[in-house]
Structures are given as C-alpha cells and as structure tokens.
Amino acid sequence: MTTFCVIGRPNVGKSSLVNAILKEDRAIVSNVEGTTRDAVDTPFRYEGRDYVIIDTAGMRKRGKVWENIEKYSVLRAVSAIERADVVLFLIDGEKGIRDQDKHVAGLAHDEGKGVIIVYNKWDTVEKDERTMNEISKKIREEFKYLSYAPIAFVSAKTGARVNTLLPLIDQVHDACTMRVPTNVLNDVIMDAQMMNPPKPHNGKQLRIYYASQVSVSPPTILIFVNEPELFHFSYKRYLENKLREAFGFIGTPIRIHARKR
Ligand SMILES: Nc1nc2c(ncn2[C@@H]2O[C@H](COP(=O)(O)OP(=O)(O)OP(=O)(O)O)[C@@H](O)[C@H]2O)c(=O)[nH]1
Ligand SMILES: [Mg+2]
C-alpha cells in the first residue's frame, strides 16, 4: 500500500487534485482560501494497487511564525507528511512560485519522504515549447534541496496529465524502499573513488573501506572510513550523485553517514 499526501499553500488546488485523482467530487473545492480544515484520508484501489490519499489544509507563514489560525493546519500537515510514503508538493502555476512555497517545501524535505513537485493550474500558463524547461529551471533554483524530486505539470481542473501522477508515485515509492545489494553498492563506490579520489586535507587522506545500506525510507548508506571528519560534504554529495546515476533513486532523499572503522 502507498500513502501519499497533498500539501501546499492555501488555494493551490490540493482538494481539486485529490478529486481529479479520485475522479469524484469528494473534497470541497472553493476559491476561498482555507476551505479545507482537516487532513482527510481517502483509501482507494487503482490497477490492483492500494493507496491512501491525504488532502491537507493550506499552510501560510507570516514573518517568522506560522500564523495562529494556520498553526493547527501546519501541525496536521506535518502529521500527514509523517504518515505518508510520498509527498505531493503543489505549486500554483497561475501565481507562480512564492516565498510561502519554500516553507512548505522545507517541511516536505525535512521528513525524509519521497517528494514530487506538482506544478498545478498548468491550463492557466501561457506557454510555448520552452516554457516547461524554463519553469523547471526556476524550480531547481528556488528549491535546491529538492533536486531529487521529479516535477510534474498538471491541471487538476481539466485533468491534463493527472494520470501521470500515480505511476510516478509508484516509482518514487519503489525508490524510497529500494535495497541495493552490498556488493553492487561497493562496486559503485569504489569506481567513484577511483575516478575522483578524495583530496587530502592538511596532509591527511580519507580512506573509504566499505559501504552498506542500513535502511530504507529514506535509503541510508553507512560508509566505514579511517577518519569521519575527513569525509567532507562535497565528497558526500559527489558519492550521492554517483549512487543516483547508478541506481536511480528518483524522488527520494539519500542519507550517507560515515563511521570510523
Ligand atoms: N484554472 C485552474 N484552476 C484550478 C486548478 N486547480 C484548482 N483550481 C481552482 O483553484 C481554487 C482553489 O482550489 P482548491 O482545490 O479548493 O484549493 P486548495 O489547495 O484545496 O485550497 P485550501 O484547501 O483552501 O488550502 C478553486 O477555485 C479551483 O477551482 C487548475 O488546475 N486550474
Ligand atoms: Mg482544500
């Protein structure tokens, strides 16, 4: 079973998207912000697979604090994220990316769940053949830490491309729970090291002995080294990119921890 939730600031079209996926008018849709008050779970079955979709209330932040009336919607959204395998993070294509979206995206990222960025209201966007690339680039710049999240362009209103979401959700959920066999993992890490060995720091050289995947959701890799302090962020990121090239890991964060052997 796959549980996924739909989050985003008020009025981005979360309830409309839930309806479009379910193809029934269940959730209440309105152009008044804050229509949805509670997180609502709906179980359904599609092509032999079971899902639970969770609609949430829109979230908004003023200055440094979540607005009082919004505070409970944030808590409920966070609990929806915690219960979900995959998070659909919605952006309103009619209004474009706003500061608020960053706060919401941050919540999605912090929990270590699978994330799909959904650019909704695509029907309202004036576009030519370059628009999708341009907007994707903008999204990558604005949400750097979500670089692993695939981007979907949909219209909850017309239903355009909504049918691409469930297959993508399956793919991301599979990536979140993927287990890489230890020998294959070590081959990739050893190759990566040979191509680009870690640079010495103050005459000290990082040595990587052995890696193993210790958990899933998110995939977590433990790497045994001579000195964990020598394992710099940039080298971790390099290895993460190599792991993504080799295994995909679409839509899921990867955690890499170093331990002294
Ligand atoms: N043009 C267009 N309008 C949309 C689309 N999706 C939603 N809307 C409209 O946007 C407004 C808000 O939709 P909702 O689905 O209620 O938004 P929400 O994110 O659930 O809002 P809250 O629950 O209040 O946070 C409604 O007027 C919808 O008809 C879309 O893809 N295209
Ligand atoms: Mg709603």
Side-chain angles (χ1 to χ4, degrees):
M1 192 179 68
T2 304
T3 300
F4 62 101
C5 67
V6 182
I7 64 166
R9 59 190 172 79
N11 237 32
V12 296
K14 298 176 293 297
S15 299
S16 303
L17 184 67
V18 168
N19 288 342
I21 291 173
L22 297 171
K23 297 194 182 81
E24 284 172 52
D25 285 349
R26 290 184 186 231
I28 297 166
V29 174
S30 146
N31 56 9
V32 178
E33 292 192 0
T35 304
T36 304
R37 295 252 165 241
D38 288 303
V40 183
D41 296 23
T42 311
F44 67 101
R45 179 168 256 263
Y46 181 74
E47 295 197 339
R49 294 178 77 140
D50 290 312
Y51 301 88
V52 175
I53 185 168
I54 310 175
D55 190 6
T56 68
M59 291 177 282
R60 145 178 53 208
K61 201 179 185 188
R62 278 264 145 94
K64 281 199 160 55
V65 289
W66 295 95
E67 259 180 82
N68 234 351
I69 48 159
E70 299 288 334
K71 214 163 126 191
Y72 297 99
S73 67
V74 173
L75 293 179
R76 282 194 295 257
V78 168
S79 108
I81 295 168
E82 281 168 356
R83 288 187 289 132
D85 302 302
V86 178
V87 177
L88 303 191
F89 159 51
L90 260 67
I91 301 172
D92 184 336
E94 193 172 14
K95 297 199 173 126
I97 299 166
R98 299 281 172 89
D99 277 350
Q100 286 310 312
D101 295 318
K102 304 210 172 137
H103 299 302
V104 179
L107 293 177
H109 174 69
D110 289 347
E111 295 296 327
K113 299 303 175 91
V115 180
I116 298 169
I117 299 170
V118 180
Y119 202 79
N120 187 37
K121 307 197 188 181
W122 190 232
D123 58 293
T124 65
V125 177
E126 244 188 82
K127 45 191 166 297
D128 58 29
E129 64 284 356
R130 285 168 308 181
T131 312
M132 214 181 259
N133 273 338
E134 284 163 6
I135 294 177
S136 299
K137 216 174 131 198
K138 179 113 203 294
I139 291 173
R140 293 301 177 212
E141 277 163 20
E142 299 282 347
F143 307 103
K144 286 214 168 70
Y145 46 89
L146 287 180
S147 58
Y148 53 86
I151 306 170
F153 294 84
V154 309
S155 168
K157 192 174 182 180
T158 69
R161 293 174 192 270
V162 168
N163 63 354
T164 62
L165 291 176
L166 284 179
L168 195 53
I169 288 165
D170 290 345
Q171 239 185 313
V172 169
H173 191 196
D174 288 349
C176 293
T177 54
M178 176 161 61
R179 282 188 190 276
V180 178
T182 304
N183 59 331
V184 184
L185 178 67
N186 280 281
D187 283 352
V188 170
I189 290 192
M190 293 309 145
D191 281 357
Q193 261 196 104
M194 279 206 289
M195 273 168 58
N196 174 22
K199 306 212 172 12
H201 273 268
N202 303 326
K204 279 184 160 176
Q205 175 70 47
L206 172 74
R207 300 213 182 280
I208 294 177
Y209 300 117
Y210 178 78
S212 110
Q213 183 177 348
V214 289
S215 64
V216 294
S217 303
T220 304
I221 313 283
L222 188 58
I223 301 188
F224 291 94
V225 301
N226 57 338
E227 285 295 338
E229 309 84 78
L230 296 172
F231 198 9
H232 285 259
F233 175 75
S234 58
Y235 203 70
K236 254 184 210 177
R237 196 172 46 194
Y238 164 70
L239 289 183
E240 178 180 336
N241 289 336
K242 288 290 161 194
L243 294 174
R244 289 186 185 282
E245 272 174 36
F247 307 115
F249 285 124
I250 181 175
T252 178
I254 301 176
R255 301 216 163 121
I256 298 180
H257 301 299
R259 185 173 296 169
K260 191 177 176 71
R261 192 195 70 173

